[in-house]
Amino acid sequence: MIHALKPTTDLANRIARIYPSLSNGHRRIADHVLGFPLESATASIEVLAERSGASNATVTRFVRALGYASYGEFRVALSDALRLAMQPVDDFADARAMTESASGTFIAALKMQRANIEEAMAALDPASIAGLVAAILGARRIFIIASGASHHVASFIEDGLALYCEADVVFATARGGPERAFRHLNAAGPGDLTIAISVPRYSRTTVQLASHSREKGATVVALTDGPTSPLAPIADFALFAPARSPLLPNSPTAVFALADALITAIARERPDAVEALKDLSRSLLWTFQH
């Protein structure tokens, strides 16, 4: 079953919070809403009850358990959640209609990426950067969590930090599902550091794992798109990389740029960085073409 409301929305978060405590009847309604949100948003209470195998009274109790005063208020929230889920598709259609040529699209994308990087640079605070670099260099272990498109940024950071940091670097979400990542992070504690990476539409798993790390006492670093991200209030340090794109759901360019800059700053602070690069070059010499 494809859950169209998987992106972080108020309604999806409300369902996720109470789902473990729901009765079987309420779970059937929740599953139906998550699996068929468009149908549910246009259904009367009688139709939703029939299609989820519940009664009208059960639907009413489910709606109130989510914190909505009425079924009408619930339908408005569901419609809002659908708009958020479909926004990238709508933006894609609008931008495609406005594009005159392939080359025009190409140049527009580069300009947007440049604007994203410039905005990311403008948001940087020197004192915060210094504190972040010191925290990474002083960490006992570094856990990295990301999914979707952010997975590639996480792999890049993992390779860079493993080269320049003495800490063990663990890409916790690289293999297996969330359960495996939670097992990794159960070992986190004071002295450890977790880097969480997510841009719209935000990964609920990444946000939950970041919260779990903070609860365990680890320092949390967020690499995300802005202060309204759900990762921002969790983080001890945050790097903001706007991810706007004229046609794609998001652009990773600014996120990669910040990741590259962070690794570069870490390398500068390591007096043995040159030797580390020499060792790497010697070990890989046979793989080079020239």
Side-chain angles (χ1 to χ4, degrees):
M1 180 184 296
I2 298 174
H3 288 186
L5 297 185
K6 187 177 180 181
T8 299
T9 62
D10 178 61
L11 175 58
N13 278 331
R14 291 191 191 202
I15 293 176
R17 280 196 298 269
I18 69 171
Y19 193 88
S21 63
L22 292 178
S23 66
N24 289 335
H26 285 178
R27 286 193 180 189
R28 286 197 299 271
I29 300 170
D31 291 341
H32 185 84
V33 169
L34 290 171
F36 306 96
L38 182 59
E39 174 189 295
S40 300
T42 58
S44 65
I45 189 171
E46 292 81 9
V47 171
L48 179 58
E50 179 184 353
R51 292 180 179 176
S52 61
S55 65
N56 292 5
T58 303
V59 172
T60 299
R61 288 193 293 270
F62 170 72
V63 166
R64 289 176 179 170
L66 291 175
Y68 299 111
S70 65
Y71 185 73
E73 185 177 325
F74 164 76
R75 286 180 59 181
V76 170
L78 181 53
S79 296
D80 289 343
L82 272 173
R83 278 195 291 272
L84 177 60
M86 296 303 296
Q87 189 62 46
V89 179
D90 295 338
D91 290 345
F92 181 91
D94 292 343
R96 188 174 184 180
M98 294 173 61
T99 302
E100 296 179 357
S101 65
S103 62
T105 302
F106 195 96
I107 297 301
L110 289 175
K111 288 181 177 179
M112 179 62 75
Q113 291 163 16
R114 180 178 64 187
N116 285 343
I117 292 175
E118 289 175 349
E119 188 172 331
M121 291 172 59
L124 294 175
D125 173 60
S128 180
I129 295 298
L132 170 57
V133 170
I136 291 175
L137 289 172
R140 177 184 55 174
R141 288 174 299 186
I142 298 173
F143 299 95
I144 304 172
I145 50 179
S147 64
S150 299
H151 178 100
H152 307 294
V153 183
S155 294
F156 179 73
I157 292 178
E158 178 191 25
D159 289 343
L161 295 186
L163 179 61
Y164 295 115
C165 293
E166 294 181 356
D168 291 331
V169 181
V170 180
F171 189 173
T173 51
R175 299 176 184 86
E179 297 84 1
R180 185 180 180 88
F182 270 107
R183 285 199 293 270
H184 278 300
L185 292 169
N186 270 334
D192 296 326
L193 182 141
T194 295
I195 300 176
I197 310 166
S198 191
V199 294
R201 297 175 282 178
Y202 309 105
S203 163
R204 180 179 293 111
T205 297
T206 299
V207 174
Q208 291 173 340
L209 288 169
S211 297
H212 184 64
S213 296
R214 187 176 183 88
E215 291 169 1
K216 300 289 289 185
T219 298
V220 175
V221 177
L223 184 51
T224 188
D225 66 306
T228 58
S229 163
L231 284 176
I234 301 170
D236 298 285
F237 299 96
L239 293 176
F240 297 136
R244 295 183 298 270
S245 172
L247 284 173
L248 305 178
N250 53 59
S251 168
T253 303
V255 185
F256 266 111
L258 286 185
D260 185 272
L262 178 60
I263 294 168
T264 302
I266 295 293
R268 182 206 178 269
E269 296 301 312
R270 288 296 303 272
D272 56 347
V274 174
E275 290 303 317
L277 283 174
K278 284 182 179 178
D279 291 342
L280 179 63
S281 295
R282 292 190 193 101
S283 66
L284 297 178
L285 186 60
W286 67 275
T287 68
F288 297 152
Q289 179 68 30
H290 299 291

